[in-house]
Amino acid sequence: MHCKVTGLQIFKSRCKGAEIEEGNSDVFSLCSARQGLFGVPELSCPEGFQEAQDKALQESEQLVQKACSTPPGPETVMIFDQLSDALCRVADLADFVKIAHPDFAFREAAEEACRNIGTVVEKLNTDVELCQSLRRLLADEVVMSSLDPETRRVAELFMFDFEISGIHLDEEKRRKAVNLNVRILDLCNEFLTGAHLPNKIDKHVLPEHIRYNFTAEGNHLQVAGLHADCPDDLVREAAYKIFLYPNAEQLSRLEELLASRNSLAQLVGYDTFAHRALQGTMAETPETVTRFLEKLSDKLSKRTQKDFEMMTQVKMKLNPQNSKLMPWDHPYYSGVLRAERYNIDPGLYCPFFSLGACMEGLNSLFSQLLGISLYAEQTQRGEIWSEDVRKLAVVHETEGLLGYIYCDFFQRPDKPHQDCHFTVRGGRLRENGEYQLPVVVLMLSLPHSTRGAPTLLSPGMMENLFHEMGHAMHSMLGRTRYQHVTGTRCPTDFAEVPSILMEYFANDYRVVNQFARHYKTGQPLPKNMVSRLCESKKVCAAADMQLQVFYAALDQVYHGKHPLKKSTTEILKETQEKFYGLPYVPNTAWQLRFSHLVGYGAKYYSYLMSRAVASMVWKQCFAQDPFDRAMGERYRREMLAHGGGKEPILMVQGMLQKSPSVEDFVDALVSDLDQDFETFIMDS
């Protein structure tokens, strides 16, 4: 269980005296004789998903009847939350298993369970009698005024779910709304698949000397990506033009997806899909998002132009015959500039970032900031899906056990190459007064240890580990009464704040110095190496941010007023020229590879807005002392504790002690681009 790395353990072993509640009568209890995934007895085999699903549906039927017969009061909200929990306990778990389990039969069974539960949820969201029981509560002013703010908000959020599904419509229109929802789900899955499919080309079209860069298939070459890091300009140009060549089927899918989303939004009473998607977020309206993006773009423009000029100079040196900067050049030449200026070789950093050292660093940071420790838990046979998965108990120094994190950190065949946080079960206060502990999975793609060395992380991997652990802490500390708003179940533009904030800790020398030790010699990572790493990230950072502004603006236009005035490709060209600066390349359709349109439709701006908030929180609250316990407690109390049970902007106001404006968000992002911000903090 314990892999020792220069005296450090990958995860701390469980100590005597840690206040762990052994007697918790949890459905995830490890006492069951018949062990299954995550301790769920039914899930010892793929067929168990059907059993778990049937139990959840049976429970939900009983809860629907109970909700409809209960007089208006706080119990109404509790029953709705129980109903949500019964379905989410299966759906959330299945959502993870369907993409990560190594056994195809498990993945297939989980996929089926997701589909079936999803169908039930759609039906419940258009159940008039169920909605009436909630409406009676919301209409009763006396009862509503007696409810606490969190209960009121959760009641309103459940009603919002009904309304965006068209509950107020007549039966025919409700049926249309359900059909649109089902069609949108299918289109999303089809679009995602199409976004990652390679394009083929006759190999004779390409010069012979670059063909080896692509996968050969008979007389064809497969181009599966942009080859953005390839030093050969011609390879990058060919990959860009071939991979982004328009596919008629994918184009048709995107057009139908955008039109269907718009039809659904208008059917349920919104001007556009963006208006529907942004209700309840920090931004609140598409107009605010557009203002944010335009102001940010204006503030970035001179810096971006300077970045493009520097890249052009480098290209001119390396390729005098063709020095015009093109979209396929941006990632490569910004990397060349970083390497030239700061000589950042990940290989020089990896020996200082063993997984064991990084986990000890996180443990130390959480202990000092929040009074939390991470302990390795022994798992039972059948509880985990791969033998290298580790289970951590998250324990508070006075409150005891807060929840569990399953760490699925290592590469394996067929495992998606993406770093993710999954809620497997949300926390909530049960009817018997016990707290249902949250359970999450952190999924990374780290290399395995070798005979001569432990698992070593690049600086980027280390930062991603801190980022995902930020989500996990949000899940552990968002101890809401209701599962519906637990942890990361909050608006998208707030959900990324705790994870991005952790990146600031990961780039601060005082934090890094506590754990970064060479795995062979024990030597600490030199301060100037951390400074160089931080400063290197600012090279061409304005141009990188400008690219994100372009993507976010494109997303807003696509989900704005319909019918669209032009084709999606013409809109791409226009938006690229307005918000990016590098020319559109004819016969390309980047939007057909924009997979974030599925999960982040009308919300791609969230990454930028969350980063702005995280930057403000870091500078105002933690830059002076990243281990300030009083500030850590304030952060927990004001931002983490509420999950989605409080309006996001109110949480930000509570933390910053002021109400930030769009201009404040923009200034926070732009000030992060200034050279020497981290170095100044480290040297002061």
Side-chain angles (χ1 to χ4, degrees), residues 375-429:
Y375 295 96
E377 283 269 311
Q378 191 69 46
T379 55
Q380 304 295 306
R381 191 175 173 188
E383 184 184 349
I384 54 176
W385 50 99
S386 179
E387 61 181 17
D388 55 16
V389 172
R390 296 289 178 264
K391 180 184 180 184
L392 297 181
V394 180
V395 183
H396 189 271
E397 61 193 16
T398 59
E399 297 166 35
L401 183 62
L402 298 181
Y404 294 107
I405 302 171
Y406 286 83
C407 301
D408 186 356
F409 282 175
F410 300 102
Q411 296 166 353
R412 63 174 173 269
D414 294 333
K415 181 181 172 182
H417 281 275
Q418 59 194 84
D419 297 342
C420 296
H421 161 275
F422 293 87
T423 298
V424 170
R425 187 185 65 188
R428 73 182 181 101
L429 189 63

Side-chain angles (χ1 to χ4, degrees), residues 44-320:
S44 56
C45 61
E47 294 73 27
F49 266 106
Q50 184 67 49
E51 195 183 332
Q53 177 192 302
D54 291 346
K55 275 176 77 172
L57 296 182
Q58 194 180 351
E59 188 183 345
S60 68
E61 279 175 24
Q62 292 167 358
L63 288 165
V64 168
Q65 289 171 7
K66 192 176 175 184
C68 294
S69 60
T70 300
E75 196 187 350
T76 307
V77 183
M78 191 179 281
I79 294 166
F80 267 82
D81 194 61
Q82 284 174 259
L83 177 57
S84 171
D85 183 59
L87 296 169
C88 286
R89 273 205 317 269
V90 177
D92 288 343
L93 192 153
D95 218 27
F96 168 71
V97 172
K98 76 178 184 184
I99 70 156
H101 202 289
D103 183 338
F104 177 73
F106 262 106
R107 293 202 302 271
E108 198 173 39
E111 178 84 60
E112 180 66 19
C114 278
R115 258 198 307 272
N116 294 339
I117 298 277
T119 304
V120 171
V121 170
E122 288 302 336
K123 284 181 181 166
L124 289 175
N125 282 340
T126 53
D127 185 319
V128 177
E129 194 183 351
L130 184 63
C131 179
Q132 278 303 118
S133 68
L134 187 62
R135 198 165 264 151
R136 283 194 297 273
L137 170 66
L138 291 167
D140 192 324
E141 289 180 17
V142 176
V143 176
M144 283 299 286
S145 63
S146 71
L147 301 180
D148 63 273
E150 186 184 26
T151 302
R152 273 202 304 275
R153 178 166 167 82
V154 171
E156 287 161 0
L157 288 172
F158 277 123
M159 182 51 76
F160 175 60
D161 288 342
F162 279 120
E163 286 170 351
I164 63 172
S165 299
I167 194 72
H168 51 291
L169 305 173
D170 61 44
E171 196 173 339
E172 188 187 336
K173 285 180 178 171
R174 272 203 313 276
R175 201 177 302 116
K176 189 179 176 186
V178 170
N179 291 339
L180 274 168
N181 266 316
V182 170
R183 182 62 186 141
I184 286 166
L185 200 60
D186 289 343
L187 285 165
C188 284
N189 289 332
E190 289 168 22
F191 183 81
L192 265 184
T193 303
H196 297 109
L197 284 178
N199 272 344
K200 281 185 190 174
I201 190 168
D202 187 317
K203 69 179 182 183
H204 300 101
V205 173
L206 293 182
E208 196 171 344
H209 72 279
I210 69 165
R211 290 178 198 166
Y212 74 92
N213 289 280
F214 308 106
T215 307
E217 202 178 80
N219 280 327
H220 288 86
L221 295 172
Q222 267 201 4
V223 181
L226 293 173
H227 291 250
D229 297 328
C230 181
D232 190 324
D233 285 0
L234 191 57
V235 172
R236 292 196 314 280
E237 180 180 353
Y240 190 93
K241 289 178 173 176
I242 297 164
F243 188 63
L244 299 183
Y245 190 79
N247 173 294
E249 280 181 30
Q250 184 75 339
L251 194 58
S252 167
R253 279 183 209 120
L254 176 60
E255 286 167 353
E256 190 185 346
L257 173 61
L258 297 177
S260 299
R261 280 176 168 173
N262 182 72
S263 298
L264 179 63
Q266 292 196 326
L267 186 66
V268 299
Y270 291 89
D271 288 347
T272 68
F273 180 78
H275 283 90
R276 174 185 185 261
L278 296 184
Q279 188 167 325
T281 60
M282 261 196 305
E284 292 186 331
T285 67
E287 292 76 19
T288 302
V289 174
T290 301
R291 199 154 55 88
F292 168 61
L293 295 174
E294 285 178 346
K295 282 182 181 291
L296 180 54
S297 189
D298 288 346
K299 277 278 180 85
L300 288 173
S301 60
K302 283 182 183 170
R303 293 169 187 255
T304 301
Q305 205 48 49
K306 195 176 169 189
D307 286 353
F308 285 153
E309 284 166 10
M310 288 192 298
M311 288 185 228
T312 303
Q313 286 166 11
V314 176
K315 186 174 182 181
M316 204 180 293
K317 256 194 292 181
L318 298 174
N319 187 357

